[in-house]
Amino acid sequence: AQKVTQAQTEISVVEKEDVTLDCVYETRDTTYYLFWYKQPPSGELVFLIRRNSFDEQNEISGRYSWNFQKSTSSFNFTITASQVVDSAVYFCALSEEEGSGTYKYIFGTGTRLKVLA
Amino acid sequence: ETGVTQSPTHLIKTRGQQVTLRCSSQSGHNTVSWYQQALGQGPQFIFQYYREEENGRGNFPPRFSGLQFPNYSSELNVNALELDDSALYLCASSFRGLANYGYTFGSGTRLTVV
């Protein structure tokens, strides 16, 4: 069965520290897509990154970086020099095709990140 | 371009009542999905609509139903509300065929059933 595990329920760091959020997934598909979303207190899920199963290149976007390793089924997210504005709940998600072009996301339970000033 | 808008933002209902939640898709998007997010949990897929028809459903009972209108806006209806239906309901839109590029989510409707 498809599954996404985010073992870290809550992480607290002091501003300017680096922090890594872990994501482990299970899928039977050979082609799949992984995502990270940020959920601030306002509630909406903000898209951060998408990665397909054939692209294992790590990616860096400003202070954000992602490490995708198929061998360990992990897609970890690192924030460098964290800031208070990074405080939010972060979700890792796996896209699963339901058929006929319908895709649903399977989300992990999220990691609440608190960045203290 | 406008994003996904949902209404109302908060709602309190009594057990056994019925509720309708509304969603306006992002401009240019023709597919809408609904997710239920219980407190402290990740969102769970309810169903997806395309061309005004349901074409994918998660593990939710039939009392959860939906509609999609010609302008791609959507409604989520829940009948016979139960206490466990209390959650944040998120609407997400995309352009069919590009769903794996990421959905655009609304801010959600927080439903409390008492």
Side-chain angles (χ1 to χ4, degrees), chain B:
Chain B
E1 79 188 2
T2 58
V4 174
T5 57
Q6 293 185 242
S7 63
T9 54
H10 295 83
L11 203 52
I12 299 175
K13 288 287 190 177
T14 302
R15 189 171 49 182
Q17 285 187 317
Q18 179 267 343
V19 69
T20 297
L21 311 182
R22 295 179 174 81
C23 170
S24 293
S25 301
Q26 178 170 313
S27 176
H29 287 181
N30 57 11
T31 300
V32 64
S33 301
W34 286 90
Y35 285 78
Q36 179 196 65
Q37 185 180 8
L39 198 60
Q41 300 296 314
Q44 300 286 321
F45 176 73
I46 303 175
F47 44 54
Q48 183 178 96
Y49 276 79
Y50 171 64
R51 289 187 175 174
E52 302 174 46
E53 290 188 359
E54 181 183 300
N55 67 349
R57 189 176 185 93
N59 190 26
F60 282 81
R63 58 189 187 84
F64 285 80
S65 63
L67 286 172
Q68 185 185 32
F69 300 99
N71 65 354
Y72 307 125
S73 64
S74 175
E75 287 182 356
L76 164 65
N77 298 291
V78 187
N79 293 322
L81 284 167
E82 301 177 359
L83 296 180
D84 285 349
D85 295 333
S86 294
L88 179 68
Y89 288 85
L90 294 163
C91 173
S93 71
S94 69
F95 186 80
R96 190 166 183 83
L98 298 180
N100 276 316
Y101 285 84
Y103 285 102
T104 301
F105 282 84
S107 297
T109 293
R110 185 162 298 283
L111 173 65
T112 302
V113 183
V114 296

Side-chain angles (χ1 to χ4, degrees), chain A residues 36-107:
Chain A
W36 275 95
Y37 279 85
K38 174 181 180 180
Q39 188 175 45
S42 54
E44 81 275 20
L45 288 168
V46 178
F47 171 82
L48 295 177
I49 190 171
R50 160 192 178 269
R51 174 67 73 228
N52 73 51
S53 53
F54 297 109
D55 182 2
E56 289 195 69
Q57 271 194 325
N58 291 330
E59 181 158 338
I60 298 175
S61 176
R63 297 185 296 108
Y64 296 169
S65 62
W66 291 269
N67 181 270
F68 176 36
Q69 294 195 342
K70 285 180 72 171
S71 60
T72 56
S73 297
S74 66
F75 185 41
N76 296 337
F77 172 33
T78 297
I79 302 175
T80 302
S82 60
Q83 300 177 1
V84 172
V85 293
D86 296 327
S87 297
V89 181
Y90 291 85
F91 289 98
C92 179
L94 170 69
S95 177
E96 176 183 47
E97 185 174 6
E98 291 278 287
S100 303
T102 299
Y103 292 88
K104 73 175 187 183
Y105 287 1
I106 298 166
F107 284 88

